[in-house]
Amino acid sequence: MKLKYAILIIMALVIVIGGLIGWFQYQQIRADYDAYRTLIQKGVTVAGVDVGWHTPEQARDKVMEWVAKPYYDAFVLHYQDETVTLSPGDDLGFTIPVEEMVAEAMEASHHYDYWEGFKLWIQDEAEALNYDVPLRKTFDESAAAQRLAEIADTHDVSPVEPMVDVQELAFIPGLPGRSLDVDASAEMINGMVPNPSERTVSLPVSIVEPDQSTARIESML
């Protein structure tokens, strides 16, 4: 009788211990699956950059470093022998929505029901993806002309018209000025914004000659 009770107790302990082990194993599997769901799945790229098995934070950093960062390099504008810089982000309103792109990659990775995904995951049948989030970029196409107009205000020089010194009976010739072609410059810069390898611009500046025509000189006399 005592032997029968002992066997029953041992069996009960085995069942309890087995149940506890199974529960802990299940909890570990669930924890691993939840950790898996925090990652972008293999086969997903953002702007051509492989972000599979990356957390969203890691993916953002990688895409920013590998893709977006060069687009934000400042333009170096040469106004004759002077240099002016232009920031794509601050001056032109340029932006690449890396956060939104990575969020789309994450959503595409885990678009299925939680338990459906869990079943596929434990069976090692998780869906293999081949998904790319394309590069997106925007900027204010009117901003370059506005900024260049400000540069023209500070760098353009009006020509000095000729004068006649009546007392000395002397002719004082004029001096040429210079003028930035704002529209042409803005068109050049807007065309370079999507190409991060082009960030140096020689601005079209024309020489403005003073009016030294015979008619003007005669009018001064």
Side-chain angles (χ1 to χ4, degrees):
M1 199 70 175
K2 290 183 178 179
L3 179 60
K4 183 183 294 186
Y5 285 141
I7 293 173
L8 290 174
I9 292 172
I10 292 172
M11 291 178 62
L13 287 173
V14 169
I15 293 172
V16 170
I17 293 172
L20 289 173
I21 292 174
W23 173 254
F24 286 129
Q25 288 178 337
Y26 169 74
Q27 290 296 317
Q28 183 60 54
I29 292 172
R30 280 284 306 276
D32 292 343
Y33 175 65
D34 289 339
Y36 159 78
R37 283 179 62 87
T38 66
L39 303 177
I40 298 171
Q41 282 193 19
K42 184 178 180 180
V44 177
T45 58
V46 175
V49 175
D50 182 8
V51 293
W53 303 139
H54 288 58
T55 66
E57 293 77 14
Q58 292 170 335
R60 285 193 292 269
D61 291 344
K62 188 173 183 179
V63 174
M64 181 60 71
E65 182 68 26
W66 289 24
V67 178
K69 187 177 178 181
Y71 285 92
Y72 290 94
D73 288 343
F75 282 94
V76 179
L77 312 180
H78 294 287
Y79 187 115
Q80 292 189 330
D81 57 349
E82 300 177 50
T83 300
V84 182
T85 59
L86 193 67
S87 167
D90 296 336
D91 295 320
L92 304 180
F94 179 84
T95 183
I96 294 178
V98 174
E99 187 90 20
E100 295 177 10
M101 293 160 61
V102 170
E104 180 179 331
M106 190 66 183
E107 182 179 356
S109 296
H110 303 286
H111 58 86
Y112 41 76
D113 174 75
Y114 180 91
W115 293 110
E116 177 188 352
F118 180 68
K119 177 183 176 181
L120 294 173
W121 184 75
I122 61 175
Q123 294 175 345
D124 198 23
E125 296 177 358
E127 180 183 1
L129 297 180
N130 181 18
Y131 187 87
D132 178 63
V133 180
L135 175 64
R136 304 187 188 110
K137 48 188 181 292
T138 60
F139 68 99
D140 183 357
E141 295 188 17
S142 66
Q146 296 173 9
R147 181 70 180 97
L148 288 164
E150 296 173 1
I151 294 173
D153 287 341
T154 57
H155 289 72
D156 284 0
V157 177
S158 299
V160 177
E161 301 298 341
M163 296 182 292
V164 173
D165 188 332
V166 179
Q167 294 181 346
E168 298 292 334
L169 297 178
F171 173 73
I172 304 173
L175 296 173
R178 62 187 187 184
S179 176
L180 173 65
D181 189 332
V182 172
D183 291 339
S185 299
E187 185 176 351
M188 291 171 60
I189 291 172
N190 286 340
M192 293 179 177
V193 169
N195 188 352
S197 65
E198 297 183 5
R199 287 295 182 264
T200 302
V201 184
S202 294
L203 298 175
V205 179
S206 58
I207 302 300
V208 182
E209 296 291 346
D211 183 1
Q212 300 189 124
S213 63
T214 302
R216 176 173 174 80
I217 295 173
E218 290 178 348
S219 68
M220 291 188 293
L221 296 175

